[in-house]
Amino acid sequence: MLLLARTIGLVFVTLVACRSLSAEDIHPPNVIVVLCDNLGYGDVGCFGSKRHRTPYLDQMAAEGMKFTDLYAASGVCTPSRAALLTGCYPPRVNLHVSDTGGAVLQPVSPKGLAPEEITIAELLKTKGYATTIIGKWHLGDQLPLLPTRQGFDSFYGIPYSDDMTPRPGKPWPDLPLMRDEVVVDAPVDLNDATKLYTEEAIRFITANRERPFFLYLPQAMPGSTRAPYASEAFRGQSQNGPWGDSIEELDWSMSEILKTLKQLKLDQQTLVVWTSDNGAPRRNPVQGSNLPLKGWGYTTAEGGMRVPTIAWWPGTVPAGTECHELASLMDLYPTIAKLAGAKLPGDRTIDGKDITPLLTGQPNAKSPHDAFFYYMFDQLQAVRSGPWKLYLPLDQVKGGWQDDKKAFAKVRLFNLVTDLQETTDVAQQNPEIVQRMLTFAAAAHADLGDDQNPGPGRRSAGHVPSPTPRVLP
């Protein structure tokens, strides 16, 4: 047993020693990625919550690895999901902004993930994987842009956010529940969404237990509505209203999936990654928590983009461990491809990096990233490298949810190992670090640019000329 001490809080974590694993040691695993919606960094017990009961996620962390410094590529959901599935920063795949200039795609949008992009699902299809998405898509609701056209054998869920329902000024269709490319219910009652998605996931796992499979489970909860949904068994049972109810049901959902894997003796053949698309948004009264991080979802503060992440794979991911190295949801793309033996596309830039050494607990494994970039819309607002986070000086700050736009008037530098709340600006004391970080930012801007001057590294989004609503046939 090894003892790992982290500077923050002087917390000691017991590590299970494991031998260094190479790609040749690992048989192609089944892969399950569970992506919660708007769930905060501090919303579950193993990441510090005292309000929500999450015993099964806590046990999952005890049996696997917690990633404490892993980031979504955006503080909002459409760009975050696009980045996860393509391994690219949102501006690279042109899903950093909607067709109307908003942060996320709206119903009946002509825009979506380009069919020319190669998703994780499409990579895994080349290796004989069964693939499905169960839950929230939000990367285009038009037929050519649906997940069934992006490498997924099947789709069961909603095409966009739970709060995108008809109301004054928004003549949207009733929120649809879809199976593959057909609406099967509208308006859908999301109270049973977590329960139904879990049952559907178990059916998929069971049906494909004899072959490799990829299950992408983007849960709808706790979601974007101010009164999240939960089934009758969980409604009113938590200490934190509907928000807590939905989280405790998500905990139950994960327990049912892990139990199924163990019963089918698939646990040692399956990598499970549980995470969130971005941080909890600011609400009044407060619902979610991003503590001990600063800030809220929909921002480039740590609380907006650093997401709670657990990796579980008995016998391969060392139990009871924590990884404090910089990583990103974009890294799932090349990591899963490597584990499956799938070849990455050679005709395009992939921003994610293989984090297999981190995932498997290889001794002295380090982050493969020299820098990580925090985008809001097309605007690069901050850079992280090692323990350092630099906020760039901006005349006008994009994103209506930022706490203090005036603070962006100058360069600010924070040490995220000693200052998680980003309270002490140490830019003046560290001019060499500031300059190095500015060099990283200049390179990113030269590659991706902004909407006024798009860089050469950008690719086109998908576009449907005459969009139609998804409605019951």
Side-chain angles (χ1 to χ4, degrees), residues 288-304:
S289 171
N290 298 312
L291 293 175
L293 308 178
K294 178 183 179 179
W296 297 101
Y298 312 159
T299 76
T300 50
E302 289 299 286

Side-chain angles (χ1 to χ4, degrees), residues 264-298:
L264 296 175
K265 302 188 185 308
L266 296 175
D267 48 328
Q268 296 196 13
Q269 303 172 37
T270 307
L271 167 64
V272 183
V273 178
W274 177 93
T275 187
S276 181
D277 64 344
N278 50 253
R282 176 169 44 197
R283 297 277 170 76
N284 186 18
V286 171
Q287 292 179 307
S289 171
N290 298 312
L291 293 175
L293 308 178
K294 178 183 179 179
W296 297 101
Y298 312 159

